[in-house]
Amino acid sequence: MTILVAVFFDAILIRLFMIDVNDIMEDNSRCGEIITVIDREKELFDQYVNSTTSENEDAFKLAMKQTKAAVYAIPLNYSRLGENRYAQLFSLQTCYDVYCGYRDEVLSGKLPRRDYVSRLYAVYNMQNYLHTYAQRFIDLTLKEGNAKYNELLPKVFMVPVIAVIMGILLFSTVLEISRMMNKSITEPVLKLAHASRRIAANDFDVDDVAANNRDELGELIIAFNKMKYATGEYIGALEERRQALDKLHAKEVETLEAEKQLDAMNLELLKNQINPHFLFNTLNVIGGMANLEGASTTEEMISALSSLFRYNLKHQEKEVLLSQELKVAADYMYLQKMRFGERVKYTVDCRVNADNVMVPTFTLQPIIENCIIHGISPKVEGGSVSVLVGKKADKLIISVTDTGKGMELSQLREIRGSLGGKQTSTMGIGMGNIFRRIKAMYEDADMRVNSVLGKGTQVIIILPYRAGDSIYTRGD
């Protein structure tokens, strides 16, 4: 109500001062402008007739534009101007139109000398008429403006009186409404806020909020009291559940730790399926006998095999340098070359610093062994095994490719399924062990298998690129 009353009185004041008074002042200003520009044009016309210089011509043309704009600035609106002002303005504009015709005819320079003088004096007379019409129009405007202003004065004085009376009434009303709201709304809301703060501090023993309201606020207070009890019981249940989950989580952690230890034991079991220490010592004895008997080739083969078992025996770490893995693979392929002769070819293309890259232990040799046994050995003509090591972004890519017999699509799908987590019996101990180890060691490691029947198989191992320490030597 207060806002509406204030807007109403603002509208009245705007009507009085911004519209009505502004109209009076604007009309007076426009009328005064007409008198000024007519006199200015009359003066410049006389100068231009006596001296037709370019400067006088430019000033006179500007005066003509200003006079025309001023004469037609006030529209011929009968309802707004009234009968007397309308008639006077109509006469002024009509006389101005006739004057413009005579003036332009005189300025054209096409009149004979005799007609030129008569028309020139006619223009002077019309300028006097224009001044007279404009003066009458401004007199009428001033007179009617004063009368209208006198009519507005009583209203202007009444507005503050009415505003003061309405302000007193509204102030009294607001005080009464404030008292009623304080009793029916503010006090219950403050009680709710106090109870909410105690509940936020986990104090659910706060007394129920009491109120005599029978409206929506009363319903809110009743719902709040019910919610307080329900929330307290729910939080108690959540606390009991949290304690139970903590106990369950502790048991799960113990179970995971046991499974981790079991995996480590299984890995050690796989690595110790053959007793490398016993075989290493035996091979050293056999190599010594071959040396004494002059069997150099046999000695080299035994030395290569002994190197394999020595690597197995001495390197119990999870990671070794890539150069060591490549050395073990080369020793293994030397033995296979002695067995298959020219049927087997072996190439290595390492595009990284093998002495400064760490890889999981026993990664390459089992895969190359699969290439020989399952891929190249069944083919009479033999084949080749190629190893490509490269780096892409922050990944180490190891690709082992053979030109063996390959595998059927069903077998390839089964192997890929086992790589994806599906339990199958197709993947052998070697590749399965490698895949499980690299996934356990690196979260983002991966192994991919591609194969085409009759053309060969490709195994790709993707590992994080981990820089090693160059103090490791190939001979360890």
Side-chain angles (χ1 to χ4, degrees), residues 32 42 44 63 68-69 83 91 135 137 142 151 195-196 198 229 237 256 322 378 385 387 406 429 451 454 473:
K42 179 180 179 182
L44 293 176
K68 184 176 181 180
E83 180 179 359
S91 300
Q135 187 63 47
F137 182 71
L142 292 173
E151 292 178 3
S196 299
R198 293 185 60 182
Y229 285 112
L256 290 175
L322 175 62
V385 178
V387 177
I429 294 176
S451 183
T473 62

Side-chain angles (χ1 to χ4, degrees), residues 41 44-46 48-50 52 60 64 98-127:
E41 181 178 340
L44 293 176
F45 176 78
D46 188 55
Y48 179 67
V49 169
N50 294 326
T52 57
F60 179 63
M64 287 192 297
V98 176
Y99 159 75
C100 289
Y102 276 75
R103 180 197 62 194
D104 296 340
E105 191 176 10
V106 170
L107 295 176
S108 65
K110 298 179 180 180
L111 293 173
R113 179 68 179 178
R114 181 184 55 187
D115 295 337
Y116 174 81
V117 175
S118 61
R119 290 298 175 90
L120 178 61
Y121 281 100
V123 169
Y124 285 141
N125 291 332
M126 288 182 183
Q127 289 176 346

